[in-house]
Protein backbone atom coordinates (compact mmCIF):
# COMPACT_ATOMS: atom_id res chain seq x y z
CA UNK A 1 0.00 0.00 0.00
CA UNK A 2 2.79 2.42 0.88
CA UNK A 3 4.34 1.91 -2.57
CA UNK A 4 1.20 3.43 -4.12
CA UNK A 5 1.91 6.77 -2.44
CA UNK A 6 5.59 6.93 -3.36
CA UNK A 7 4.77 8.84 -6.54
CA UNK A 8 3.30 11.70 -4.48
CA UNK A 9 6.69 12.53 -2.95
CA UNK A 10 7.62 14.58 -6.00
CA UNK A 11 4.61 16.84 -5.53
CA UNK A 12 5.09 17.46 -1.81
CA UNK A 13 8.85 18.01 -1.91
CA UNK A 14 10.06 21.25 -0.34
CA UNK A 15 10.55 24.11 -2.80
CA UNK A 16 13.38 26.62 -2.39
CA UNK A 17 11.36 29.49 -3.92
CA UNK A 18 7.69 30.19 -3.16
CA UNK A 19 5.64 31.79 -5.92
CA UNK A 20 2.21 31.65 -4.27
CA UNK A 21 0.44 32.03 -0.94
CA UNK A 22 -0.88 29.51 1.60
CA UNK A 23 -4.46 29.44 0.28
CA UNK A 24 -3.25 28.79 -3.26
CA UNK A 25 -1.19 25.86 -1.95
CA UNK A 26 -4.27 24.45 -0.22
CA UNK A 27 -5.71 23.97 -3.72
CA UNK A 28 -2.89 22.61 -5.85
CA UNK A 29 -0.85 20.92 -3.12
CA UNK A 30 -3.01 19.69 -0.23
CA UNK A 31 -6.34 19.13 -2.01
CA UNK A 32 -4.79 17.62 -5.13
CA UNK A 33 -2.71 15.20 -3.02
CA UNK A 34 -5.72 14.24 -0.89
CA UNK A 35 -7.87 13.49 -3.94
CA UNK A 36 -5.17 11.45 -5.66
CA UNK A 37 -4.43 9.59 -2.41
CA UNK A 38 -8.14 8.80 -1.99
CA UNK A 39 -8.18 7.58 -5.58
CA UNK A 40 -5.27 5.24 -4.89
CA UNK A 41 -6.95 3.90 -1.76
CA UNK A 42 -10.18 3.18 -3.63
CA UNK A 43 -8.26 1.65 -6.54
CA UNK A 44 -6.33 -0.65 -4.22
CA UNK A 45 -9.52 -1.73 -2.46
CA UNK A 46 -11.48 -2.05 -5.69
CA UNK A 47 -9.07 -4.04 -7.82
CA UNK A 48 -7.16 -5.87 -5.09
CA UNK A 49 -9.80 -7.78 -3.19
CA UNK A 50 -13.56 -8.21 -3.48
CA UNK A 51 -15.40 -4.90 -4.05
CA UNK A 52 -18.82 -6.61 -4.15
CA UNK A 53 -20.19 -9.86 -2.75
CA UNK A 54 -23.62 -11.06 -3.94
CA UNK A 55 -25.93 -13.77 -2.58
CA UNK A 56 -28.33 -15.57 -4.93
CA UNK A 57 -30.76 -18.46 -4.38
CA UNK A 58 -29.47 -20.87 -6.99
CA UNK A 59 -26.42 -22.97 -7.70
CA UNK A 60 -26.83 -22.59 -11.48
CA UNK A 61 -24.97 -19.26 -11.51
CA UNK A 62 -21.35 -19.20 -10.29
CA UNK A 63 -20.64 -16.76 -7.46
CA UNK A 64 -17.87 -15.01 -9.39
CA UNK A 65 -20.19 -14.51 -12.35
CA UNK A 66 -22.99 -12.85 -10.39
CA UNK A 67 -20.48 -10.69 -8.52
CA UNK A 68 -18.85 -9.51 -11.73
CA UNK A 69 -22.19 -8.91 -13.43
CA UNK A 70 -23.64 -6.83 -10.61
CA UNK A 71 -20.42 -4.83 -10.30
CA UNK A 72 -20.10 -3.89 -13.96
CA UNK A 73 -23.83 -3.29 -14.52
CA UNK A 74 -25.73 -1.65 -11.65
CA UNK A 75 -27.60 -2.39 -8.47
CA UNK A 76 -30.72 -0.73 -7.08
CA UNK A 77 -32.77 0.03 -3.98
CA UNK A 78 -36.34 1.07 -3.23
CA UNK A 79 -36.33 4.66 -1.86
CA UNK A 80 -39.67 4.18 -0.09
CA UNK A 81 -38.17 1.29 1.89
CA UNK A 82 -35.75 3.61 3.69
CA UNK A 83 -38.61 4.79 5.91
CA UNK A 84 -39.44 1.24 6.99
CA UNK A 85 -38.12 -0.39 10.14
CA UNK A 86 -35.00 -2.45 9.58
CA UNK A 87 -35.32 -6.01 10.91
CA UNK A 88 -39.10 -5.73 11.14
CA UNK A 89 -40.42 -4.58 7.75
CA UNK A 90 -37.24 -4.77 5.64
CA UNK A 91 -33.97 -6.70 6.11
CA UNK A 92 -31.74 -3.73 5.27
CA UNK A 93 -32.26 0.00 4.55
CA UNK A 94 -33.80 0.38 1.09
CA UNK A 95 -34.00 -3.36 0.44
CA UNK A 96 -37.61 -4.43 -0.17
CA UNK A 97 -39.78 -6.57 -2.41
CA UNK A 98 -39.51 -5.02 -5.87
CA UNK A 99 -41.94 -7.31 -7.68
CA UNK A 100 -44.66 -4.67 -8.02
CA UNK A 101 -42.35 -1.64 -8.00
CA UNK A 102 -42.03 0.31 -11.25
CA UNK A 103 -38.58 0.93 -12.71
CA UNK A 104 -39.01 4.67 -12.19
CA UNK A 105 -39.53 4.07 -8.45
CA UNK A 106 -36.17 2.41 -8.08
CA UNK A 107 -32.89 4.15 -7.28
CA UNK A 108 -30.02 2.70 -9.30
CA UNK A 109 -26.37 2.77 -8.24
CA UNK A 110 -23.61 2.48 -10.82
CA UNK A 111 -21.18 5.20 -9.70
CA UNK A 112 -19.03 3.03 -7.43
CA UNK A 113 -16.90 1.63 -10.24
CA UNK A 114 -16.06 5.18 -11.40
CA UNK A 115 -15.21 6.78 -8.06
CA UNK A 116 -11.46 6.14 -8.29
CA UNK A 117 -11.26 7.72 -11.76
CA UNK A 118 -13.36 10.74 -10.80
CA UNK A 119 -11.22 11.42 -7.72
CA UNK A 120 -8.05 11.25 -9.79
CA UNK A 121 -9.41 13.64 -12.43
CA UNK A 122 -10.50 16.04 -9.69
CA UNK A 123 -7.01 15.97 -8.23
CA UNK A 124 -5.52 16.84 -11.63
CA UNK A 125 -7.98 19.71 -12.08
CA UNK A 126 -6.97 21.18 -8.72
CA UNK A 127 -3.36 21.17 -9.93
CA UNK A 128 -4.12 22.95 -13.22
CA UNK A 129 -4.22 26.57 -11.85
CA UNK A 130 -0.78 26.13 -10.29
CA UNK A 131 0.62 24.59 -13.46
CA UNK A 132 -0.75 27.51 -15.47
CA UNK A 133 0.71 30.05 -13.02
CA UNK A 134 4.06 28.25 -12.99
CA UNK A 135 4.26 28.50 -16.79
CA UNK A 136 3.29 32.19 -16.76
CA UNK A 137 5.65 32.98 -13.88
CA UNK A 138 8.52 31.64 -15.95
CA UNK A 139 10.97 31.33 -13.05
CA UNK A 140 11.15 35.11 -12.50
CA UNK A 141 11.19 34.89 -8.71
CA UNK A 142 13.91 32.26 -8.73
CA UNK A 143 16.02 34.39 -11.05
CA UNK A 144 15.82 37.66 -9.11
CA UNK A 145 16.22 36.14 -5.63
CA UNK A 146 19.54 34.55 -6.66
CA UNK A 147 19.73 32.32 -3.60
CA UNK A 148 19.36 35.12 -1.05
CA UNK A 149 17.00 33.10 1.16
CA UNK A 150 19.63 33.27 3.89
CA UNK A 151 21.76 36.20 5.03
CA UNK A 152 24.89 34.06 5.52
CA UNK A 153 26.68 35.10 2.36
CA UNK A 154 30.07 36.62 1.66
CA UNK A 155 29.92 40.41 1.89
CA UNK A 156 31.05 40.84 -1.69
CA UNK A 157 28.58 38.30 -3.06
CA UNK A 158 25.70 39.66 -1.00
CA UNK A 159 26.43 43.26 -2.00
CA UNK A 160 26.66 42.34 -5.68
CA UNK A 161 23.36 40.40 -5.67
CA UNK A 162 21.57 43.15 -3.75
CA UNK A 163 22.78 45.74 -6.22
CA UNK A 164 21.52 43.69 -9.16
CA UNK A 165 18.11 43.18 -7.54
CA UNK A 166 17.75 46.84 -6.57
CA UNK A 167 18.58 47.95 -10.11
CA UNK A 168 16.10 45.48 -11.54
CA UNK A 169 13.26 46.56 -9.27
CA UNK A 170 13.96 50.27 -9.75
CA UNK A 171 14.24 50.08 -13.54
CA UNK A 172 11.16 47.85 -13.87
CA UNK A 173 8.90 49.92 -11.65
CA UNK A 174 5.27 49.73 -12.87
CA UNK A 175 6.15 46.97 -15.33
CA UNK A 176 4.93 43.96 -13.34
CA UNK A 177 1.17 44.53 -13.49
CA UNK A 178 0.63 41.68 -15.96
CA UNK A 179 2.66 39.42 -13.67
CA UNK A 180 0.30 40.18 -10.78
CA UNK A 181 -2.86 39.98 -12.87
CA UNK A 182 -1.93 36.51 -14.13
CA UNK A 183 -1.55 35.29 -10.56
CA UNK A 184 -4.84 36.87 -9.49
CA UNK A 185 -6.50 35.22 -12.49
CA UNK A 186 -5.19 31.82 -11.31
CA UNK A 187 -6.66 32.51 -7.86
CA UNK A 188 -10.04 33.25 -9.46
CA UNK A 189 -9.58 30.04 -11.46
CA UNK A 190 -9.14 28.17 -8.16
CA UNK A 191 -12.48 29.51 -6.94
CA UNK A 192 -14.20 28.65 -10.23
CA UNK A 193 -12.63 25.18 -10.13
CA UNK A 194 -13.79 24.28 -6.62
CA UNK A 195 -17.34 25.54 -7.25
CA UNK A 196 -17.38 23.58 -10.51
CA UNK A 197 -16.04 20.50 -8.70
CA UNK A 198 -18.87 20.67 -6.17
CA UNK A 199 -21.43 21.01 -8.96
CA UNK A 200 -20.00 18.11 -11.00
CA UNK A 201 -19.78 15.90 -7.90
CA UNK A 202 -23.42 16.71 -7.21
CA UNK A 203 -24.33 15.63 -10.75
CA UNK A 204 -22.23 12.49 -10.32
CA UNK A 205 -24.32 11.49 -7.30
CA UNK A 206 -27.67 12.41 -8.88
CA UNK A 207 -28.06 15.71 -7.05
CA UNK A 208 -27.32 14.31 -3.57
CA UNK A 209 -23.89 15.82 -2.86
CA UNK A 210 -24.72 19.53 -2.34
CA UNK A 211 -26.89 18.76 0.68
CA UNK A 212 -24.88 15.73 1.81
CA UNK A 213 -23.01 17.38 4.69
CA UNK A 214 -26.07 19.25 5.95
CA UNK A 215 -28.12 16.06 5.85
CA UNK A 216 -25.48 14.20 7.86
CA UNK A 217 -25.48 16.95 10.49
CA UNK A 218 -29.27 16.91 10.60
CA UNK A 219 -29.26 13.11 10.85
CA UNK A 220 -27.14 13.13 14.00
CA UNK A 221 -29.62 15.47 15.73
CA UNK A 222 -32.75 13.40 15.04
CA UNK A 223 -34.26 10.62 17.09
CA UNK A 224 -32.79 7.25 16.16
CA UNK A 225 -36.28 5.81 15.54
CA UNK A 226 -37.26 8.45 12.99
CA UNK A 227 -34.25 9.11 10.83
CA UNK A 228 -32.75 7.91 7.57
CA UNK A 229 -28.98 7.81 7.36
CA UNK A 230 -28.02 9.96 4.31
CA UNK A 231 -24.68 8.14 4.08
CA UNK A 232 -26.48 4.82 3.64
CA UNK A 233 -28.90 6.40 1.17
CA UNK A 234 -26.10 7.68 -1.10
CA UNK A 235 -23.56 4.94 -0.29
CA UNK A 236 -25.62 1.83 0.53
CA UNK A 237 -23.89 -1.18 2.06
CA UNK A 238 -26.57 -3.64 0.86
CA UNK A 239 -28.25 -3.40 -2.55
CA UNK A 240 -30.28 -5.55 -4.93
CA UNK A 241 -29.31 -6.87 -8.32
CA UNK A 242 -31.48 -8.65 -10.92
CA UNK A 243 -29.87 -11.33 -13.09
CA UNK A 244 -31.62 -12.77 -16.18
CA UNK A 245 -30.72 -16.10 -17.76
CA UNK A 246 -32.24 -18.92 -19.76
CA UNK A 247 -33.93 -21.80 -17.93
CA UNK A 248 -33.76 -25.46 -18.90
CA UNK A 249 -36.74 -25.09 -21.24
CA UNK A 250 -35.45 -21.95 -22.93
CA UNK A 251 -37.60 -19.45 -21.01
CA UNK A 252 -36.06 -16.32 -19.53
CA UNK A 253 -35.56 -16.66 -15.80
CA UNK A 254 -35.06 -13.80 -13.35
CA UNK A 255 -33.16 -14.08 -10.10
CA UNK A 256 -32.83 -11.49 -7.36
CA UNK A 257 -29.42 -11.13 -5.70
CA UNK A 258 -28.59 -9.36 -2.46
CA UNK A 259 -25.23 -7.58 -2.81
CA UNK A 260 -22.83 -6.33 -0.16
CA UNK A 261 -20.76 -3.24 -1.09
CA UNK A 262 -17.97 -2.96 1.50
CA UNK A 263 -16.26 -0.28 -0.60
CA UNK A 264 -19.06 2.16 0.21
CA UNK A 265 -17.97 2.24 3.85
CA UNK A 266 -14.81 3.95 2.61
CA UNK A 267 -16.63 6.08 0.02
CA UNK A 268 -19.04 7.60 2.53
CA UNK A 269 -16.17 8.71 4.80
CA UNK A 270 -14.20 10.17 1.92
CA UNK A 271 -17.09 12.22 0.57
CA UNK A 272 -18.29 13.53 3.91
CA UNK A 273 -14.76 14.81 4.46
CA UNK A 274 -14.62 16.27 0.92
CA UNK A 275 -17.97 18.02 1.41
CA UNK A 276 -16.78 19.93 4.47
CA UNK A 277 -13.34 20.55 2.95
CA UNK A 278 -14.75 21.89 -0.32
CA UNK A 279 -17.12 24.22 1.51
CA UNK A 280 -14.40 25.55 3.83
CA UNK A 281 -11.91 25.95 0.98
CA UNK A 282 -14.47 27.72 -1.22
CA UNK A 283 -15.26 30.22 1.56
CA UNK A 284 -11.57 30.91 2.25
CA UNK A 285 -10.83 31.35 -1.46
CA UNK A 286 -13.79 33.70 -1.88
CA UNK A 287 -12.51 35.85 1.00
CA UNK A 288 -9.07 35.95 -0.63
CA UNK A 289 -10.60 37.16 -3.91
CA UNK A 290 -12.49 39.89 -2.03
CA UNK A 291 -9.27 40.94 -0.28
CA UNK A 292 -7.57 41.23 -3.68
CA UNK A 293 -10.14 43.82 -4.70
CA UNK A 294 -9.34 45.93 -1.64
CA UNK A 295 -5.61 45.56 -2.31
CA UNK A 296 -6.10 46.60 -5.93
CA UNK A 297 -7.88 49.85 -5.04
CA UNK A 298 -6.16 50.82 -1.78
CA UNK A 299 -2.51 51.89 -1.54
CA UNK A 300 -2.66 52.05 2.26
CA UNK A 301 -3.74 48.39 2.49
CA UNK A 302 -0.82 47.38 0.26
CA UNK A 303 1.54 49.28 2.53
CA UNK A 304 0.18 47.63 5.68
CA UNK A 305 0.41 44.15 4.17
CA UNK A 306 4.02 44.74 3.18
CA UNK A 307 4.77 46.04 6.68
CA UNK A 308 3.56 42.76 8.18
CA UNK A 309 5.60 40.76 5.67
CA UNK A 310 8.77 42.93 5.71
CA UNK A 311 9.00 43.14 9.48
CA UNK A 312 12.46 44.77 9.61
CA UNK A 313 11.85 47.28 6.81
CA UNK A 314 11.07 50.95 7.39
CA UNK A 315 7.34 51.59 7.00
CA UNK A 316 8.09 55.01 5.52
CA UNK A 317 9.98 53.51 2.57
CA UNK A 318 7.33 50.85 2.03
CA UNK A 319 4.68 53.57 1.80
CA UNK A 320 6.79 55.50 -0.71
CA UNK A 321 7.25 52.40 -2.86
CA UNK A 322 3.50 51.67 -2.82
CA UNK A 323 2.71 55.28 -3.76
CA UNK A 324 5.14 55.32 -6.68
CA UNK A 325 4.50 51.76 -7.83
CA UNK A 326 1.42 49.80 -8.81
CA UNK A 327 -0.22 46.48 -7.90
CA UNK A 328 2.48 44.58 -9.78
CA UNK A 329 5.31 46.13 -7.75
CA UNK A 330 3.43 45.35 -4.55
CA UNK A 331 3.01 41.72 -5.56
CA UNK A 332 6.68 41.30 -6.54
CA UNK A 333 7.81 42.78 -3.21
CA UNK A 334 5.34 40.54 -1.39
CA UNK A 335 6.81 37.43 -3.02
CA UNK A 336 10.37 38.67 -2.51
CA UNK A 337 9.68 39.10 1.21
CA UNK A 338 8.71 35.40 1.33
CA UNK A 339 11.87 34.29 -0.44
CA UNK A 340 14.59 36.66 0.83
CA UNK A 341 16.08 36.98 4.28
CA UNK A 342 14.41 39.87 6.20
CA UNK A 343 17.74 41.61 6.81
CA UNK A 344 18.59 41.65 3.10
CA UNK A 345 15.01 42.70 2.32
CA UNK A 346 15.41 45.62 4.72
CA UNK A 347 18.40 46.94 2.76
CA UNK A 348 16.62 46.52 -0.58
CA UNK A 349 13.49 48.36 0.56
CA UNK A 350 15.56 51.16 2.09
CA UNK A 351 17.63 51.72 -1.05
CA UNK A 352 14.64 51.76 -3.40
CA UNK A 353 12.67 53.96 -0.98
CA UNK A 354 15.52 56.48 -0.77
CA UNK A 355 15.79 56.67 -4.57
CA UNK A 356 12.07 57.25 -4.97
CA UNK A 357 12.06 59.80 -2.15
CA UNK A 358 14.93 61.65 -3.85
CA UNK A 359 13.03 61.64 -7.14
CA UNK A 360 9.94 63.03 -5.42
CA UNK A 361 12.03 65.82 -3.91
CA UNK A 362 13.63 66.70 -7.25
CA UNK A 363 10.24 66.63 -8.97
CA UNK A 364 8.82 68.89 -6.26
CA UNK A 365 11.69 71.38 -6.70
CA UNK A 366 11.30 71.35 -10.47
CA UNK A 367 7.58 72.06 -10.18
CA UNK A 368 8.34 74.92 -7.78
CA UNK A 369 10.90 76.46 -10.16
CA UNK A 370 8.43 76.15 -13.02
CA UNK A 371 5.78 77.97 -10.99
CA UNK A 372 8.20 80.78 -10.10
CA UNK A 373 9.21 81.17 -13.75
CA UNK A 374 5.58 81.36 -14.79
CA UNK A 375 4.94 84.04 -12.13
CA UNK A 376 7.82 86.14 -13.47
Amino acid sequence: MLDLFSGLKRIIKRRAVHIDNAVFRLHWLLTAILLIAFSLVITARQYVGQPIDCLIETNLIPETMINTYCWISQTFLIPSAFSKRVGVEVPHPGVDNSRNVAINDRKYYAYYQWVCFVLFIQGVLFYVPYYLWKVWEGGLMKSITMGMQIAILADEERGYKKKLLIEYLYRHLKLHHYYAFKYFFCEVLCLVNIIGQMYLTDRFFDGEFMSYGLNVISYTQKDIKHRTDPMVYIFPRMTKCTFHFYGSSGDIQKKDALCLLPLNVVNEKIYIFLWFWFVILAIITFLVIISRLFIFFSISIRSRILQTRCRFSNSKYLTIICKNGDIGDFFVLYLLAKNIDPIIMQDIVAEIGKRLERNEFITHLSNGDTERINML
Side-chain angles (χ1 to χ4, degrees):
M1 177 64 75
L2 294 177
D3 293 337
L4 293 174
F5 300 99
S6 60
L8 299 176
K9 293 180 180 179
R10 186 176 178 181
I11 301 178
I12 62 178
K13 68 178 181 179
R14 181 178 175 82
R15 287 163 172 77
V17 178
H18 296 288
I19 58 175
D20 52 10
N21 61 11
V23 176
F24 199 75
R25 286 194 292 274
L26 289 179
H27 284 264
W28 73 264
L29 185 60
L30 181 58
T31 307
I33 288 176
L34 284 174
L35 288 169
I36 293 175
F38 289 154
S39 175
L40 293 175
V41 169
I42 296 298
T43 302
R45 186 66 184 85
Q46 178 172 323
Y47 293 103
V48 181
Q50 189 70 21
I52 190 172
D53 195 5
C54 296
L55 176 66
I56 195 169
E57 296 179 341
T58 180
N59 294 325
L60 299 177
I61 306 172
E63 180 182 351
T64 55
M65 183 177 181
I66 189 64
N67 288 341
T68 303
Y69 170 79
C70 293
W71 175 255
I72 65 176
S73 57
Q74 57 186 0
T75 59
F76 69 93
L77 289 176
I78 312 300
S80 59
F82 280 97
S83 59
K84 297 182 179 181
R85 291 175 296 172
V86 177
V88 179
E89 299 175 277
V90 292
H92 303 281
V95 178
D96 200 0
N97 192 330
S98 57
R99 183 175 302 172
N100 298 320
V101 178
I103 296 179
N104 296 334
D105 296 331
R106 301 178 182 182
K107 181 174 177 60
Y108 286 90
Y109 298 87
Y111 63 81
Y112 38 74
Q113 55 184 302
W114 300 101
V115 168
C116 60
F117 303 107
V118 171
L119 288 172
F120 181 81
I121 293 173
Q122 286 182 300
V124 172
L125 290 177
F126 270 96
Y127 188 81
V128 167
Y130 172 75
Y131 178 79
L132 188 61
W133 165 236
K134 188 176 180 181
V135 172
W136 282 342
E137 201 271 342
L140 174 65
M141 199 53 52
K142 183 178 181 180
S143 299
I144 64 178
T145 53
M146 295 176 287
M148 289 189 288
Q149 287 81 5
I150 56 175
I152 306 176
L153 295 171
D155 292 340
E156 183 179 352
E157 181 184 3
R158 181 172 56 188
Y160 176 71
K161 290 182 177 181
K162 280 198 303 184
K163 182 179 178 181
L164 288 178
L165 181 53
I166 291 169
E167 289 297 326
Y168 172 83
L169 294 175
Y170 184 74
R171 292 179 180 276
H172 290 79
L173 201 68
K174 294 187 177 182
L175 296 179
H176 293 107
H177 47 277
Y178 285 121
Y179 183 80
F181 288 151
K182 288 176 181 178
Y183 178 77
F184 298 156
F185 171 78
C186 289
E187 285 188 322
V188 173
L189 193 61
C190 286
L191 180 61
V192 172
N193 175 67
I194 193 168
I195 294 175
Q197 294 282 2
M198 295 176 69
Y199 173 77
L200 291 176
T201 306
D202 187 64
R203 293 294 301 271
F204 182 63
F205 290 113
D206 296 328
E208 302 288 348
F209 181 73
M210 284 297 190
S211 58
Y212 182 44
L214 296 176
N215 291 339
V216 171
I217 295 175
S218 176
Y219 164 75
T220 59
Q221 298 174 349
K222 293 181 179 178
D223 181 32
I224 192 172
K225 297 180 181 179
H226 305 92
R227 62 183 186 179
T228 300
D229 189 349
M231 291 190 288
V232 175
Y233 183 77
I234 302 176
F235 304 101
R237 289 82 180 267
M238 300 295 296
T239 57
K240 299 184 65 174
C241 177
T242 303
F243 186 81
H244 296 86
F245 65 102
Y246 283 107
S248 56
S249 64
D251 291 340
I252 296 178
Q253 304 292 316
K254 182 175 71 173
K255 287 294 181 180
D256 232 14
L258 188 63
C259 298
L260 174 66
L261 293 170
L263 197 61
N264 272 349
V265 177
V266 180
N267 287 334
E268 67 180 22
K269 306 302 187 300
I270 288 176
Y271 278 99
I272 190 60
F273 170 81
L274 289 179
W275 188 91
F276 285 104
W277 178 244
F278 282 176
V279 170
I280 294 172
L281 190 57
I283 293 173
I284 295 174
T285 308
F286 177 76
L287 293 176
V288 169
I289 300 301
I290 296 299
S291 69
R292 295 301 182 200
L293 296 177
F294 286 102
I295 292 172
F296 181 80
F297 291 107
S298 176
I299 294 176
S300 62
I301 292 179
R302 297 180 206 167
S303 177
R304 291 174 185 173
I305 293 175
L306 287 180
Q307 288 172 22
T308 59
R309 176 59 62 180
C310 309
R311 56 184 183 275
F312 295 150
S313 300
N314 193 317
S315 58
K316 171 188 172 183
Y317 295 135
L318 289 173
T319 303
I320 292 174
I321 293 173
C322 290
K323 283 176 60 179
N324 288 272
D326 58 16
I327 187 68
D329 300 303
F330 157 79
F331 182 63
V332 170
L333 282 178
Y334 178 81
L335 289 181
L336 280 174
K338 299 178 68 172
N339 293 286
I340 292 182
D341 186 88
I343 298 176
I344 299 177
M345 193 66 192
Q346 179 185 14
D347 298 337
I348 294 172
V349 170
E351 180 62 28
I352 297 176
K354 289 176 182 178
R355 290 192 184 187
L356 294 175
E357 187 179 30
R358 192 181 309 118
N359 291 342
E360 286 182 349
F361 180 73
I362 294 173
T363 302
H364 178 71
L365 288 179
S366 299
N367 292 337
D369 292 340
T370 303
E371 291 177 2
R372 285 194 293 271
I373 293 172
N374 291 334
M375 290 177 64
L376 293 174

